[in-house]
PDB file of all heavy atoms in Angstrom:
ATOM      1  N   GLU A  73      -8.381   2.208  46.895  1.00  0.00           N
ATOM      2  CA  GLU A  73      -6.973   1.954  47.179  1.00  0.00           C
ATOM      3  C   GLU A  73      -6.201   1.726  45.882  1.00  0.00           C
ATOM      4  O   GLU A  73      -5.062   2.196  45.735  1.00  0.00           O
ATOM      5  CB  GLU A  73      -6.836   0.739  48.104  1.00  0.00           C
ATOM      6  CG  GLU A  73      -5.395   0.348  48.453  1.00  0.00           C
ATOM      7  CD  GLU A  73      -4.647   1.434  49.226  1.00  0.00           C
ATOM      8  OE1 GLU A  73      -5.298   2.362  49.748  1.00  0.00           O
ATOM      9  OE2 GLU A  73      -3.407   1.341  49.303  1.00  0.00           O
ATOM     10  N   GLN A  74      -6.807   1.010  44.926  1.00  0.00           N
ATOM     11  CA  GLN A  74      -6.165   0.809  43.630  1.00  0.00           C
ATOM     12  C   GLN A  74      -5.947   2.149  42.923  1.00  0.00           C
ATOM     13  O   GLN A  74      -4.903   2.377  42.323  1.00  0.00           O
ATOM     14  CB  GLN A  74      -7.024  -0.103  42.755  1.00  0.00           C
ATOM     15  CG  GLN A  74      -7.088  -1.548  43.227  1.00  0.00           C
ATOM     16  CD  GLN A  74      -8.101  -2.366  42.452  1.00  0.00           C
ATOM     17  OE1 GLN A  74      -8.611  -1.934  41.413  1.00  0.00           O
ATOM     18  NE2 GLN A  74      -8.417  -3.545  42.957  1.00  0.00           N
ATOM     19  N   ARG A  75      -6.940   3.032  43.015  1.00  0.00           N
ATOM     20  CA  ARG A  75      -6.798   4.368  42.425  1.00  0.00           C
ATOM     21  C   ARG A  75      -5.644   5.134  43.061  1.00  0.00           C
ATOM     22  O   ARG A  75      -4.861   5.797  42.382  1.00  0.00           O
ATOM     23  CB  ARG A  75      -8.102   5.170  42.625  1.00  0.00           C
ATOM     24  CG  ARG A  75      -9.092   5.059  41.507  1.00  0.00           C
ATOM     25  CD  ARG A  75     -10.408   5.710  41.891  1.00  0.00           C
ATOM     26  NE  ARG A  75     -10.276   7.032  42.464  1.00  0.00           N
ATOM     27  CZ  ARG A  75     -10.486   8.177  41.807  1.00  0.00           C
ATOM     28  NH1 ARG A  75     -10.816   8.147  40.527  1.00  0.00           N
ATOM     29  NH2 ARG A  75     -10.393   9.341  42.418  1.00  0.00           N
ATOM     30  N   ARG A  76      -5.555   5.033  44.378  1.00  0.00           N
ATOM     31  CA  ARG A  76      -4.491   5.737  45.093  1.00  0.00           C
ATOM     32  C   ARG A  76      -3.126   5.231  44.656  1.00  0.00           C
ATOM     33  O   ARG A  76      -2.201   6.020  44.414  1.00  0.00           O
ATOM     34  CB  ARG A  76      -4.667   5.563  46.600  1.00  0.00           C
ATOM     35  CG  ARG A  76      -3.695   6.392  47.433  1.00  0.00           C
ATOM     36  CD  ARG A  76      -3.734   5.992  48.892  1.00  0.00           C
ATOM     37  NE  ARG A  76      -3.200   4.663  49.106  1.00  0.00           N
ATOM     38  CZ  ARG A  76      -1.901   4.365  49.120  1.00  0.00           C
ATOM     39  NH1 ARG A  76      -0.997   5.309  48.920  1.00  0.00           N
ATOM     40  NH2 ARG A  76      -1.494   3.128  49.323  1.00  0.00           N
ATOM     41  N   LEU A  77      -2.989   3.900  44.525  1.00  0.00           N
ATOM     42  CA  LEU A  77      -1.707   3.326  44.121  1.00  0.00           C
ATOM     43  C   LEU A  77      -1.352   3.699  42.688  1.00  0.00           C
ATOM     44  O   LEU A  77      -0.198   3.985  42.378  1.00  0.00           O
ATOM     45  CB  LEU A  77      -1.747   1.803  44.284  1.00  0.00           C
ATOM     46  CG  LEU A  77      -1.813   1.284  45.724  1.00  0.00           C
ATOM     47  CD1 LEU A  77      -1.982  -0.219  45.740  1.00  0.00           C
ATOM     48  CD2 LEU A  77      -0.567   1.687  46.496  1.00  0.00           C
ATOM     49  N   ARG A  78      -2.368   3.702  41.807  1.00  0.00           N
ATOM     50  CA  ARG A  78      -2.107   4.107  40.424  1.00  0.00           C
ATOM     51  C   ARG A  78      -1.648   5.556  40.362  1.00  0.00           C
ATOM     52  O   ARG A  78      -0.736   5.906  39.619  1.00  0.00           O
ATOM     53  CB  ARG A  78      -3.361   3.917  39.569  1.00  0.00           C
ATOM     54  CG  ARG A  78      -3.658   2.482  39.181  1.00  0.00           C
ATOM     55  CD  ARG A  78      -4.615   2.427  38.004  1.00  0.00           C
ATOM     56  NE  ARG A  78      -5.884   3.074  38.293  1.00  0.00           N
ATOM     57  CZ  ARG A  78      -6.952   2.483  38.807  1.00  0.00           C
ATOM     58  NH1 ARG A  78      -6.894   1.183  39.105  1.00  0.00           N
ATOM     59  NH2 ARG A  78      -8.066   3.137  39.022  1.00  0.00           N
ATOM     60  N   GLY A  79      -2.271   6.393  41.165  1.00  0.00           N
ATOM     61  CA  GLY A  79      -1.884   7.798  41.194  1.00  0.00           C
ATOM     62  C   GLY A  79      -0.476   7.987  41.726  1.00  0.00           C
ATOM     63  O   GLY A  79       0.288   8.810  41.221  1.00  0.00           O
ATOM     64  N   ALA A  80      -0.115   7.190  42.753  1.00  0.00           N
ATOM     65  CA  ALA A  80       1.233   7.291  43.312  1.00  0.00           C
ATOM     66  C   ALA A  80       2.270   6.848  42.303  1.00  0.00           C
ATOM     67  O   ALA A  80       3.319   7.475  42.136  1.00  0.00           O
ATOM     68  CB  ALA A  80       1.332   6.445  44.592  1.00  0.00           C
ATOM     69  N   ARG A  81       1.972   5.745  41.559  1.00  0.00           N
ATOM     70  CA  ARG A  81       2.919   5.271  40.551  1.00  0.00           C
ATOM     71  C   ARG A  81       3.065   6.274  39.424  1.00  0.00           C
ATOM     72  O   ARG A  81       4.140   6.431  38.849  1.00  0.00           O
ATOM     73  CB  ARG A  81       2.465   3.911  40.002  1.00  0.00           C
ATOM     74  CG  ARG A  81       2.715   2.751  40.944  1.00  0.00           C
ATOM     75  CD  ARG A  81       2.606   1.433  40.210  1.00  0.00           C
ATOM     76  NE  ARG A  81       1.251   1.190  39.729  1.00  0.00           N
ATOM     77  CZ  ARG A  81       0.325   0.546  40.413  1.00  0.00           C
ATOM     78  NH1 ARG A  81       0.606   0.060  41.610  1.00  0.00           N
ATOM     79  NH2 ARG A  81      -0.869   0.357  39.914  1.00  0.00           N
ATOM     80  N   ALA A  82       1.964   6.957  39.088  1.00  0.00           N
ATOM     81  CA  ALA A  82       2.019   7.937  37.991  1.00  0.00           C
ATOM     82  C   ALA A  82       2.942   9.092  38.320  1.00  0.00           C
ATOM     83  O   ALA A  82       3.476   9.745  37.419  1.00  0.00           O
ATOM     84  CB  ALA A  82       0.613   8.450  37.689  1.00  0.00           C
ATOM     85  N   HIS A  83       3.157   9.372  39.631  1.00  0.00           N
ATOM     86  CA  HIS A  83       4.008  10.485  40.028  1.00  0.00           C
ATOM     87  C   HIS A  83       5.427  10.052  40.384  1.00  0.00           C
ATOM     88  O   HIS A  83       6.256  10.881  40.735  1.00  0.00           O
ATOM     89  CB  HIS A  83       3.380  11.222  41.222  1.00  0.00           C
ATOM     90  CG  HIS A  83       2.146  11.993  40.852  1.00  0.00           C
ATOM     91  ND1 HIS A  83       0.892  11.430  40.873  1.00  0.00           N
ATOM     92  CD2 HIS A  83       1.991  13.274  40.420  1.00  0.00           C
ATOM     93  CE1 HIS A  83       0.003  12.345  40.497  1.00  0.00           C
ATOM     94  NE2 HIS A  83       0.640  13.445  40.209  1.00  0.00           N
ATOM     95  N   GLU A  84       5.669   8.728  40.302  1.00  0.00           N
ATOM     96  CA  GLU A  84       7.027   8.261  40.567  1.00  0.00           C
ATOM     97  C   GLU A  84       7.932   8.661  39.404  1.00  0.00           C
ATOM     98  O   GLU A  84       7.539   8.607  38.240  1.00  0.00           O
ATOM     99  CB  GLU A  84       7.049   6.735  40.709  1.00  0.00           C
ATOM    100  CG  GLU A  84       6.390   6.239  41.992  1.00  0.00           C
ATOM    101  CD  GLU A  84       6.384   4.731  42.062  1.00  0.00           C
ATOM    102  OE1 GLU A  84       6.778   4.103  41.056  1.00  0.00           O
ATOM    103  OE2 GLU A  84       5.969   4.185  43.084  1.00  0.00           O
ATOM    104  N   PRO A  85       9.161   9.082  39.679  1.00  0.00           N
ATOM    105  CA  PRO A  85      10.072   9.436  38.591  1.00  0.00           C
ATOM    106  C   PRO A  85      10.414   8.222  37.741  1.00  0.00           C
ATOM    107  O   PRO A  85      10.647   7.134  38.269  1.00  0.00           O
ATOM    108  CB  PRO A  85      11.311   9.970  39.320  1.00  0.00           C
ATOM    109  CG  PRO A  85      11.237   9.365  40.683  1.00  0.00           C
ATOM    110  CD  PRO A  85       9.770   9.225  41.007  1.00  0.00           C
TER     111      PRO A  85
END
Side-chain angles (χ1 to χ4, degrees):
E73 179 63 15
Q74 291 172 12
R75 268 172 48 101
R76 187 191 68 77
L77 292 175
R78 284 198 300 270
R81 284 196 295 269
H83 289 88
E84 289 178 353

